[in-house]
Amino acid sequence: MTIEMKNDLLNLPSLQLKMDRIVFENIDTKPNWSKAFEQLDELLHKVANNFNDYVAKNNGELPSSTTYWTLYMDIASKLVYFTGLAHANLIAEDDADARAHVIKLYELSASCIPNAHTESNEELLSEIQKSIYQLNDEEVKLTVADNVEQCIKAFKQFAESYEK
C-alpha cells in the first residue's frame, strides 16, 4: 500500500480516503478484524515513518502548528484509534500485555487529537473511553492536548518506537 506524496508531504486527502476505505470495508460493513488490523497497522507504520523522515530532514525539529499538521494529527489520532480497535478485537481476553498495548494506543489517540476540547471531538473521546473500559472495566480520565504542538510531541514519541 503506497501513500501519495506531494511536495515532500503526505497527501492528506488520499491518506484519509485510504483509512476511511479500510474502516468502512473491514470494520463498519462486515467486520474482518484481522484484515482491518493488518491494513491499518501497515498504514500507521507508513505514517510514523513519514513523520520520522520529516523530523530527520528538519534536523530534529518538530513541525510547526500549521493547518497541514493540524489535519495530519487529526488523521493520525483516528488511525491510531482504529488500529487499536482492530487489534483489541483480535487479542485473547487473558493477554494482559496485548490489552496494555491497545490501551496505550487508545490513550495516544486521545493525546493526538488537535482541538480535543471542541464539541466535534467529543464523540471520538467518548468512543476511546468506552473502548478502554471494555478492555479493563475501569473508567479512565484521558489526557488530551491543549494545542497542536502537544499532539505533535506525543505522536513523535510514538512514531520513534513504531517505525518499521
Side-chain angles (χ1 to χ4, degrees), residues 4-11 54 57 68:
E4 294 177 30
M5 302 289 288
K6 190 172 189 174
N7 300 328
D8 285 335
L9 296 173
L10 280 179
N11 180 330
Y54 178 89
K57 286 178 186 174
Y68 174 84

Short mmCIF file of all heavy atoms in Angstrom, two decimals, residues 4-11 54 57 68:
data_model
loop_
_atom_site.label_atom_id
_atom_site.label_comp_id
_atom_site.label_asym_id
_atom_site.label_seq_id
_atom_site.Cartn_x
_atom_site.Cartn_y
_atom_site.Cartn_z
N GLU A 4 0.44 8.49 -1.17
CA GLU A 4 0.82 9.55 -2.11
C GLU A 4 1.50 10.70 -1.38
O GLU A 4 1.12 11.06 -0.27
CB GLU A 4 -0.43 10.09 -2.81
CG GLU A 4 -1.09 9.08 -3.72
CD GLU A 4 -2.37 9.62 -4.34
OE1 GLU A 4 -2.47 10.84 -4.55
OE2 GLU A 4 -3.25 8.80 -4.61
N MET A 5 2.51 11.24 -2.07
CA MET A 5 3.24 12.39 -1.53
C MET A 5 3.05 13.55 -2.49
O MET A 5 2.86 13.36 -3.69
CB MET A 5 4.72 12.07 -1.42
CG MET A 5 5.06 10.87 -0.56
SD MET A 5 4.82 11.17 1.19
CE MET A 5 6.18 12.26 1.54
N LYS A 6 3.10 14.75 -1.92
CA LYS A 6 3.03 15.96 -2.73
C LYS A 6 3.95 16.99 -2.08
O LYS A 6 3.77 17.33 -0.92
CB LYS A 6 1.58 16.47 -2.77
CG LYS A 6 1.34 17.56 -3.75
CD LYS A 6 -0.14 17.86 -3.85
CE LYS A 6 -0.37 18.81 -4.99
NZ LYS A 6 -1.78 19.04 -5.25
N ASN A 7 4.95 17.43 -2.83
CA ASN A 7 5.92 18.39 -2.30
C ASN A 7 6.56 17.90 -1.00
O ASN A 7 6.68 18.63 -0.03
CB ASN A 7 5.28 19.76 -2.07
CG ASN A 7 4.71 20.34 -3.33
OD1 ASN A 7 5.25 20.12 -4.42
ND2 ASN A 7 3.63 21.08 -3.21
N ASP A 8 6.97 16.64 -0.97
CA ASP A 8 7.60 16.01 0.19
C ASP A 8 6.70 15.90 1.41
O ASP A 8 7.18 15.70 2.52
CB ASP A 8 8.91 16.72 0.57
CG ASP A 8 10.03 16.40 -0.40
OD1 ASP A 8 9.98 15.32 -1.04
OD2 ASP A 8 10.96 17.21 -0.51
N LEU A 9 5.40 16.07 1.25
CA LEU A 9 4.45 15.92 2.35
C LEU A 9 3.42 14.87 1.96
O LEU A 9 3.13 14.68 0.79
CB LEU A 9 3.75 17.24 2.67
CG LEU A 9 4.64 18.38 3.16
CD1 LEU A 9 3.84 19.67 3.26
CD2 LEU A 9 5.28 18.04 4.50
N LEU A 10 2.87 14.20 2.97
CA LEU A 10 1.81 13.24 2.69
C LEU A 10 0.62 13.93 2.07
O LEU A 10 0.25 15.04 2.47
CB LEU A 10 1.33 12.59 3.98
CG LEU A 10 2.13 11.46 4.57
CD1 LEU A 10 1.48 10.97 5.86
CD2 LEU A 10 2.26 10.31 3.62
N ASN A 11 0.01 13.28 1.11
CA ASN A 11 -1.23 13.78 0.53
C ASN A 11 -2.34 13.39 1.53
O ASN A 11 -2.80 12.24 1.53
CB ASN A 11 -1.45 13.14 -0.84
CG ASN A 11 -2.71 13.62 -1.50
OD1 ASN A 11 -3.69 13.96 -0.84
ND2 ASN A 11 -2.70 13.61 -2.82
N TYR A 54 10.35 13.25 8.11
CA TYR A 54 10.17 14.70 8.09
C TYR A 54 11.02 15.35 9.19
O TYR A 54 11.73 16.33 8.94
CB TYR A 54 8.70 15.08 8.28
CG TYR A 54 8.49 16.57 8.32
CD1 TYR A 54 8.27 17.28 7.15
CD2 TYR A 54 8.56 17.28 9.51
CE1 TYR A 54 8.11 18.66 7.17
CE2 TYR A 54 8.41 18.65 9.54
CZ TYR A 54 8.19 19.34 8.37
OH TYR A 54 8.04 20.71 8.40
N LYS A 57 14.73 15.16 8.30
CA LYS A 57 15.10 16.12 7.26
C LYS A 57 15.17 17.55 7.79
O LYS A 57 15.80 18.41 7.18
CB LYS A 57 14.10 16.07 6.10
CG LYS A 57 14.24 14.86 5.23
CD LYS A 57 13.20 14.87 4.13
CE LYS A 57 13.24 13.57 3.33
NZ LYS A 57 12.15 13.50 2.35
N TYR A 68 -1.79 22.20 7.89
CA TYR A 68 -1.39 20.87 7.42
C TYR A 68 -1.16 19.93 8.61
O TYR A 68 -1.67 18.80 8.64
CB TYR A 68 -0.12 20.94 6.56
CG TYR A 68 0.39 19.59 6.16
CD1 TYR A 68 -0.13 18.93 5.06
CD2 TYR A 68 1.37 18.94 6.92
CE1 TYR A 68 0.32 17.66 4.70
CE2 TYR A 68 1.83 17.68 6.58
CZ TYR A 68 1.29 17.04 5.48
OH TYR A 68 1.73 15.78 5.14
#
